[in-house]
């Protein structure tokens, strides 16, 4: 049975796992819940591997491979089929989601072992996998939208998993409402897309778009409008300025949730969507410039907040927002391959960082404040070394996965938009600083906890084995691009070349027309010079400066950060309170809406108008009935009197009519 003809199996497996555990798992032992949850995603990964094997044997003219299973919605000219597709971009996403997802499921069996609602947690995780894979495999934007909204639902459920904890409930609602704001624009974009192309199928839309002239920086049209609306959804889902505020609060959920949904997969859905819709974005330079500006600004802005956070998960949360900004910067300057490459490597090292953070929290008995840690490297060596590797990767140290992908993004930005490149470069230095600040505060220096109260211990194997595997990928996961350093071919770029072949563009702010960027173009220098240039380029230099500065502040002169914070108290307080953005939103948006809802919509409209009308009618009927009831006295003489009065009245009426007629 060819998997390419039965792509629905990839979706059905995690959906079945979610249904079985959700409906039956409550009374099962944890081993049975584990078997269903891990088994379903593991089988899905194996199904993806078989799909990849079959896909690589397809002739080029059959890519993308599309399969329509049944008509889903039909309303006049609006027709949507349940259709799935596979191309090179889909393959990268499928392998990343299912493999990293499987490792995190395994890790969760150790991390959540003593938590209540065990079966419910794994049911939600499996359901998330189903929706994320639906989003990735979709052959039209309506099926993608189902997966898009589904991962948002699962994010809400998992952030608020500890529903007896008020902060978790509030974080879940905040995530759901904030992403809905972006999804409102995304929905309008889908409607405008159908109105323009009379179809929601990617193949039809892209073929029609290919025949449309590219818009310019001075003349925006419908394509620009569509792209900006779609990007609004990506801003919410992928936590970019100004809708990033939900993701740091989402750390209230269990740490495996942070690793899977808020680092490795769901938050990258916006990047994937922009890359998937690249035939439209590449013809709308204004929209691409907006994507690049938002990405670069978010990368820098979030990195500054990460400098002073003390909660280990909050540091990683702002780091995630920043790294997502890099991905959008890449897409905005036309380097779609670099953006997807960083998406993949980020899934490895950021997923690993969150899982290591969970291992640290597990070892510290739930403590998340880095100021109360210190000196842990010998007590939890596996966690230390794997987190150290992941930190090297995110800092862009040569040879590690993040070096290859981040360097490609900054190189593309440098040739496209110098100010945005500079923002990205500064953000790279800040990233190295705050990540090694995390390492030094957590694993080095004096112990800041009482050993008699905290029994520090390494995590069990079902938690450490996924760490080791992700550490391996954090080192070697970017080596697909390694030959490029010596004048060879970037194999990752070559693999995705058929998807982005016509749209590898370099877009600049004042550029009227985009120009093609040949894939695998060799530099003019020798391989040795290329290697020296790569290892001594600005991204590497600022990364190493960030590491050295963190070492000086937190190892060599640990008293210096406190003194610096006191001397720059105003700026330090501003950054520590995250530029008071949440407070501004509360003052400008939340509290006014609550006042209007309470005093106008509730008390005035609901209670005064609607309830007043309904209750007033009932009160009038009740009072009228009460008066009429008094006529029913039970007195025969009273009834006889009323009969006489009635008879006289009827007689008078008839007499009047007769006189009028005659």
């Amino acid at each position: 049975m060819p998997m390419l003809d039965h792509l629905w199996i990839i979706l059905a497996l995690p959906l079945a796992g979610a249904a079985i555990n959700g409906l039956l798992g409550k009374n099962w032992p944890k081993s049975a819940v584990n078997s269903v949850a891990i088994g379903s995603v593991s089988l899905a990964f194996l199904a993806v591997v078989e799909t990849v094997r079959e896909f690589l044997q397809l002739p080029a003219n059959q890519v993308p491979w599309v399969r329509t299973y049944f008509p889903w919605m039909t309303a006049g000219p609006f027709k949507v089929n349940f259709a799935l597709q596979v191309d090179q971009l889909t393959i990268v996403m499928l392998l990343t989601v299912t493999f990293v997802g499987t490792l995190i499921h395994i890790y969760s069996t150790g991390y959540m072992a003593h938590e209540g609602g065990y079966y419910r947690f794994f049911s939600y995780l499996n359901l998330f996998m189903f929706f994320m894979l639906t989003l990735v495999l979709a052959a039209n934007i309506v099926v993608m939208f189902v997966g898009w909204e589904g991962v948002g639902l699962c994010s809400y459920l998992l952030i608020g998993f500890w529903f007896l904890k008020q902060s978790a409930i509030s974080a879940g609602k905040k995530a759901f409402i904030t992403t809905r704001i972006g999804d409102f624009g995304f929905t309008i974009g889908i409607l405008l897309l159908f109105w323009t192309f009379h179809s929601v199928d990617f193949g039809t839309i892209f073929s029609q778009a290919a025949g449309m002239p590219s818009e310019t920086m001075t003349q925006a049209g419908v394509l620009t409008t569509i792209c900006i609306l779609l990007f609004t959804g990506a801003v919410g889902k992928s936590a970019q300025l100004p809708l990033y505020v939900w993701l740091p609060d989402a750390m209230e959920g269990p740490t495996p949730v942070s690793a899977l949904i808020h680092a490795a997969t769901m938050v990258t859905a916006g990047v994937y969507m922009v890359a998937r819709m690249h035939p439209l974005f590449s013809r709308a330079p204004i929209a691409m410039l907006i994507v690049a500006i938002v990405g670069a600004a978010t990368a820098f802005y979030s990195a500054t907040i990460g400098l002073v956070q003390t909660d280990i998960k909050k540091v990683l949360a702002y780091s995630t927002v920043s790294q997502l900004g890099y991905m959008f910067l890449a897409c905005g300057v036309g380097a779609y391959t670099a953006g997807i490459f960083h998406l993949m490597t980020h899934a490895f090292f950021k997923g690993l960082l969150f899982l290591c953070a969970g291992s640290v929290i597990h070892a510290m008995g739930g403590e998340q404040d880095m100021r109360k840690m210190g000196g842990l490297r010998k007590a939890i060596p596996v966690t230390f070394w794997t987190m150290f590797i992941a930190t090297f990767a995110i800092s862009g140290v040569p040879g590690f996965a993040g070096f290859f992908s981040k360097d490609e993004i900054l190189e593309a930005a440098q040739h496209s938009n110098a100010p945005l490149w500079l923002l990205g470069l500064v953000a790279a230095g800040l990233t190295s600083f705050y990540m090694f600040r995390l390492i030094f505060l957590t694993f080095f220096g004096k112990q800041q906890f009482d050993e008699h109260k905290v029994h520090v211990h390494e995590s069990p194997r079902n938690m450490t084995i996924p760490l080791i595997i992700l550490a391996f990928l954090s080192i070697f996961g970017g080596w697909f691009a390694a030959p490029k350093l010596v004048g060879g071919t970037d194999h990752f770029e070559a693999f995705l070349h058929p998807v982005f072949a016509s749209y590898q563009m370099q877009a600049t702010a004042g550029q009227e027309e985009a120009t093609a960027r040949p894939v695998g173009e060799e530099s003019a220098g020798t391989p040795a010079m290329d290697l020296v240039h790569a290892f001594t380029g600005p991204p590497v230099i600022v990364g190493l400066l960030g590491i050295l500065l963190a070492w000086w502040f937190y190892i060599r002169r640990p008293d210096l950060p406190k003194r610096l914070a006191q001397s720059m108290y105003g700026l330090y307080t501003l950054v520590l309170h995250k530029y008071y953005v949440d407070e501004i939103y509360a003052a400008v948006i939340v509290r006014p809406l609550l006042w209007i809802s309470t005093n106008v919509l509730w008390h005035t409209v609901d209670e005064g108008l609607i309830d007043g009308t309904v209750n007033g009618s009932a009160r009038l009927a009740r009072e009228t009935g009460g008066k009429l009831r008094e006529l029913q006295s039970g007195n025969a003489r009273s009834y006889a009197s009323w009969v006489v009065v009635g008879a006289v009245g009827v007689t008078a009426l008839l007499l009047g009519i007769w006189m009028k007629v005659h």
Side-chain angles (χ1 to χ4, degrees), residues 69-147:
Y69 294 101
F70 55 85
W72 182 19
M73 290 184 282
T74 302
F78 181 74
K79 297 179 180 178
V80 181
N81 295 320
F82 182 76
L84 306 177
Q85 75 170 27
V86 177
D87 63 3
Q88 289 84 352
L89 178 57
T90 312
I91 291 298
V92 173
M93 293 297 296
L94 285 176
L95 288 171
T96 302
V97 171
T98 54
F99 185 71
V100 175
T102 300
L103 293 178
I104 293 175
H105 274 71
I106 296 170
Y107 176 94
S108 300
T109 61
Y111 191 87
M112 301 296 292
H114 304 294
E115 299 291 341
Y118 191 82
Y119 76 99
R120 182 166 52 89
F121 177 81
F122 280 99
S123 178
Y124 291 166
L125 277 190
N126 277 177
L127 187 64
F128 166 78
M129 293 290 290
F130 162 73
F131 281 121
M132 188 66 196
L133 292 171
T134 301
L135 188 157
V136 170
L137 281 167
N140 61 67
I141 200 161
V142 176
V143 175
M144 174 186 276
F145 187 69
V146 172

Side-chain angles (χ1 to χ4, degrees), residues 7 50 60 122 170 202 221 243 386 419 421 468 470 477 535 566 603 625:
L7 295 171
E50 174 59 21
F122 280 99
S170 299
F202 291 140
L243 300 179
T386 52
W421 168 76
I468 294 169
L470 286 173
F535 280 23
Q566 291 173 345
H603 293 313

Side-chain angles (χ1 to χ4, degrees), residues 131-304:
F131 281 121
M132 188 66 196
L133 292 171
T134 301
L135 188 157
V136 170
L137 281 167
N140 61 67
I141 200 161
V142 176
V143 175
M144 174 186 276
F145 187 69
V146 172
W148 185 276
E149 292 299 305
V151 294
L153 168 66
C154 293
S155 178
Y156 166 77
L157 294 172
L158 286 163
I159 293 170
F161 176 75
W162 288 314
F163 55 80
L164 297 178
K165 187 179 177 184
Q166 184 58 46
S167 57
I169 297 172
S170 299
K173 289 189 293 185
K174 186 175 183 179
F176 193 79
I177 294 170
T178 305
T179 53
R180 293 291 74 69
I181 295 171
D183 290 351
F184 176 74
F186 190 72
T187 305
I188 298 175
I190 293 174
L191 297 176
L192 185 57
L193 199 66
F194 175 76
W195 181 81
T196 304
F197 297 100
H198 307 290
S199 176
V200 294
D201 295 329
F202 291 140
T204 304
I205 292 171
F206 297 161
S207 62
Q208 291 185 35
M212 298 174 66
S214 296
E215 297 174 2
T216 65
M217 294 297 296
T218 57
Q219 185 178 4
V222 66
L223 291 181
T224 298
T225 305
I226 290 172
C227 290
I228 291 174
L229 288 169
L230 294 179
F231 180 61
T232 303
V235 166
K237 192 70 68 182
S238 296
Q240 298 294 284
L241 286 170
L243 300 179
Y244 72 95
V245 291
W246 67 268
L247 196 146
D249 287 9
M251 298 304 105
E252 290 292 338
T255 301
V257 174
S258 303
L260 178 62
I261 294 183
H262 304 129
T265 52
M266 188 201 87
V267 291
T268 60
V271 181
Y272 169 74
M273 184 274 294
V274 172
R276 174 59 70 195
M277 303 302 292
H278 68 274
L280 304 185
F281 278 89
S282 296
R283 285 176 165 75
I286 293 177
M288 289 188 68
L289 179 61
I290 291 173
V291 173
I293 291 173
V294 170
T298 303
F300 173 77
Y301 172 85
S302 299
T304 62

Side-chain angles (χ1 to χ4, degrees), residues 331-606:
C331 292
V333 298
Y336 301 107
T337 300
I340 296 300
F341 193 20
H342 198 57
L343 183 157
M344 182 187 75
T345 60
H346 179 262
F348 300 150
F349 58 72
K350 184 53 67 62
L352 174 58
L353 284 169
F354 268 111
L355 295 186
C356 288
S359 184
V360 171
I361 295 167
H362 179 269
M364 290 291 298
E367 182 59 63
Q368 296 184 197
D369 192 334
M370 297 183 297
R371 295 171 299 182
K372 299 178 182 178
M373 298 178 186
L376 292 175
R377 67 184 186 279
K378 293 181 180 179
I380 46 174
V382 175
T383 301
F384 164 68
W385 283 110
T386 52
M387 197 167 196
F388 204 65
I389 289 170
T391 305
F392 271 134
I394 195 174
S395 300
V397 174
F400 292 81
F403 160 74
F404 297 98
S405 55
K406 187 182 292 187
D407 189 70
E408 285 192 10
I409 292 172
L410 291 174
E411 182 182 357
Q414 184 178 15
H415 290 92
S416 176
N417 191 311
L420 298 184
W421 168 76
L422 185 60
L423 270 182
L425 189 65
V426 174
L430 297 178
T431 299
S432 296
F433 178 83
Y434 69 68
M435 285 307 306
F436 273 89
R437 169 180 177 264
L438 181 153
I439 289 292
F440 295 144
L441 284 177
T442 304
F443 296 102
F444 290 82
K446 294 173 59 177
Q447 293 183 357
Q448 304 298 326
F449 56 90
D450 188 345
E451 292 183 348
H452 299 291
K453 295 181 179 180
V454 181
H455 175 58
V456 179
H457 58 285
E458 186 62 272
S459 299
R461 286 188 178 181
N462 53 350
M463 294 175 64
T464 56
I465 290 176
L467 300 185
I468 294 169
I469 295 173
L470 286 173
F472 178 84
L473 292 173
S474 296
I475 299 173
F476 299 106
W479 282 42
F480 298 104
K484 185 180 179 180
L485 298 180
V486 290
T489 301
D490 182 336
H491 294 295
F492 188 86
E493 187 174 16
F495 179 71
L496 286 180
H497 174 63
V499 179
F500 303 118
S502 303
Y503 308 102
Q504 289 284 13
M505 301 181 177
Q506 301 275 356
T508 60
Q511 187 175 353
E512 293 292 328
E513 297 181 359
T515 56
R517 179 168 66 93
V519 176
E521 181 180 8
E522 297 184 1
S523 62
T526 64
M529 289 300 296
D530 289 341
L531 190 63
V532 171
H533 174 74
F535 280 23
T536 59
V540 175
I541 292 173
V542 298
L544 293 177
L545 286 176
I547 297 172
L548 290 174
L549 196 60
W551 173 81
W552 180 263
F553 270 55
Y554 295 99
I555 299 296
R556 182 67 175 173
R557 296 283 303 278
D559 60 312
L560 198 57
K562 186 176 181 179
R563 290 168 51 192
L564 188 62
Q566 291 173 345
S567 64
M568 305 176 65
Y569 182 76
L571 179 60
Y572 174 78
T573 303
L574 179 66
V575 179
L576 182 64
H577 289 87
K578 298 158 283 190
Y579 299 98
Y580 295 97
V581 170
D582 282 299
E583 289 80 359
I584 293 171
Y585 283 176
V588 176
I589 300 173
V590 177
R591 281 199 287 271
L593 283 176
L594 286 175
W595 187 90
I596 293 171
S597 299
T598 302
N599 296 285
V600 178
L601 299 179
W602 177 15
H603 293 313
T604 303
V605 177
D606 190 12

